[in-house]
Amino acid sequence: MASDLFDHYNIRIEIMPSLTIFPPPKQRGLALHIVLVVVFLALAAWSAFNLYGAAFNLAFAGFVLLLLACLFVLPVLAYRLYALIRAEYSLDRDNLHIVWGMRVEDIPISDVEWVRPAAQLPAPLSLPWLRLWGGLLGNTRHPDIGLVEFLASEADGLLLVATARQVFAISPADPAAFVLAFQRTMEMGSLAPGQAHSQYPSFVMSNAWQNPFTRTTWLFGAFVNIGLFLWVSIALPGLPLVSLAFDATGAPLEPVPGAQLILLPLLSAVLFAAGWLAGLFFYRRADLHLLANLLWLSGTFASVLFLFAVFFLLNAA
């Protein structure tokens, strides 16, 4: 009777899989990473400020190294901060979804062999060597369960999710609620076979590298920046003074210590690296490939402009 009524009015009842989200604890990790980003930004700015007007001596070399170190660490911290903001674990009737920045793992529920706290292991679980609040990432090997990949924010309350391929260490803010939800999901059964999917940040670089235009842009930009840095480094010892700009008539401005010319290849490398990282972020989506390639092309073009700027400045010196 009821089914006839539904058919008469063309009503269809569809059972949709519910998605339950379990975020990792983020408060301490976000605070720590924001503080570290601010500290390294301040150090980079302080180094660049001290380079301006400095003579070519040991202190100058120290400021250059400090600036390079800060510029190397800042993208790593920025990515880890972005990954923590985006991090979450979610469950539906078919899959366990783990998202940590550009790292994505979709595990069919039927592939999960067991879920248990890491504290229940007979032998202690070794943690990745680089451990910060908000970023417990990396791989270790355990004598009993083999390879363990950490996609967690903190070591407290770690849960292990085992599949036939490997074990994942996760850190939902409420481990007991996650285990209970997983047990209920197993009891309900899957509505449809889930699809396993793994995405790594390196996949984005690998896919982009397969494009001949992208590969040529990357290599050309890298060679220009390396050549520019070597050229300026060789020219510095014999360059006591140099003018870093021209006035409206094209005449060089008042010269400054020649060591400041190193700021141009440093700035070129920073802009090129920033464009490269931004391009990778957009290249994840197929509809934004054109934007990513434009960013990479503009970074390479800017490096060529810096190369010409150095050429004219050295000729005018």
Side-chain angles (χ1 to χ4, degrees):
M1 180 72 177
S3 61
D4 294 339
L5 185 63
F6 288 144
D7 290 338
H8 176 74
Y9 288 103
N10 196 27
I11 297 174
R12 294 291 180 266
I13 298 177
E14 195 171 342
I15 300 176
M16 298 298 291
S18 59
L19 184 68
T20 309
I21 298 175
F22 299 89
K26 298 182 179 183
Q27 186 173 2
R28 291 193 296 184
L30 290 175
L32 175 63
H33 281 78
I34 290 173
V35 168
L36 289 176
V37 167
V38 171
V39 168
F40 277 95
L41 277 174
L43 283 174
W46 180 70
S47 302
F49 177 79
N50 282 278
L51 283 174
Y52 188 77
F56 189 70
N57 51 28
L58 188 60
F60 177 85
F63 287 126
V64 170
L65 292 177
L66 180 59
L67 180 59
L68 290 175
C70 292
L71 296 178
F72 176 79
V73 173
L74 277 170
V76 177
L77 290 173
Y79 172 74
R80 290 170 71 96
L81 177 61
Y82 157 76
L84 180 60
I85 293 172
R86 191 167 179 254
E88 67 177 26
Y89 316 111
S90 56
L91 275 171
D92 59 33
R93 293 276 297 269
D94 303 319
N95 288 284
L96 164 61
H97 309 274
I98 302 175
V99 177
W100 204 281
M102 297 172 68
R103 175 74 173 95
V104 178
E105 189 72 30
D106 290 335
I107 307 171
I109 294 297
S110 57
D111 288 356
V112 178
E113 298 180 348
W114 48 260
V115 176
R116 69 179 64 159
Q120 293 182 359
L121 290 175
L125 179 65
S126 57
L127 302 177
W129 68 273
L130 181 58
R131 299 190 290 275
L132 292 174
W133 285 335
L136 194 59
L137 309 172
N139 297 297
T140 64
R141 186 167 293 276
H142 190 273
D144 298 325
I145 59 177
L147 181 67
V148 179
E149 180 179 358
F150 287 79
L151 295 168
S153 62
E154 298 183 9
D156 296 335
L158 277 177
L159 291 179
L160 301 177
V161 179
T163 67
R165 181 168 56 90
Q166 73 176 88
V167 178
F168 298 92
I170 63 176
S171 62
D174 191 343
F178 180 89
V179 173
L180 181 60
F182 182 80
Q183 291 174 345
R184 289 177 177 172
T185 302
M186 293 289 289
E187 293 170 358
M188 293 169 63
S190 178
L191 294 175
Q195 295 293 324
H197 171 70
S198 297
Q199 176 183 301
Y200 297 84
S202 57
F203 285 1
V204 180
M205 290 184 284
S206 177
N207 291 336
W209 183 258
Q210 301 304 318
N211 187 317
F213 175 80
T214 301
R215 184 168 60 247
T216 302
T217 304
W218 287 6
L219 291 175
F220 185 72
F223 286 146
V224 168
N225 280 280
I226 293 172
L228 181 60
F229 191 82
L230 292 176
W231 184 19
V232 172
S233 299
I234 294 172
L236 282 185
L239 194 67
L241 294 174
V242 64
S243 178
L244 293 182
F246 300 91
D247 60 18
T249 64
L253 296 179
E254 185 178 350
V256 296
Q260 294 185 28
L261 191 63
I262 198 68
L263 294 174
L264 293 184
L266 287 176
L267 183 57
S268 173
V270 168
L271 292 176
F272 179 76
W276 183 77
L277 292 173
L280 288 178
F281 179 81
F282 290 115
Y283 200 83
R284 299 173 305 153
R285 294 174 46 181
D287 58 324
L288 295 179
H289 282 186
L290 177 59
L291 177 59
N293 279 294
L294 287 176
L295 282 171
W296 291 328
L297 183 62
S298 62
T300 299
F301 181 70
S303 298
V304 173
L305 292 181
F306 275 101
L307 185 70
F308 279 107
V310 169
F311 173 76
F312 287 117
L313 290 173
L314 289 177
N315 282 343

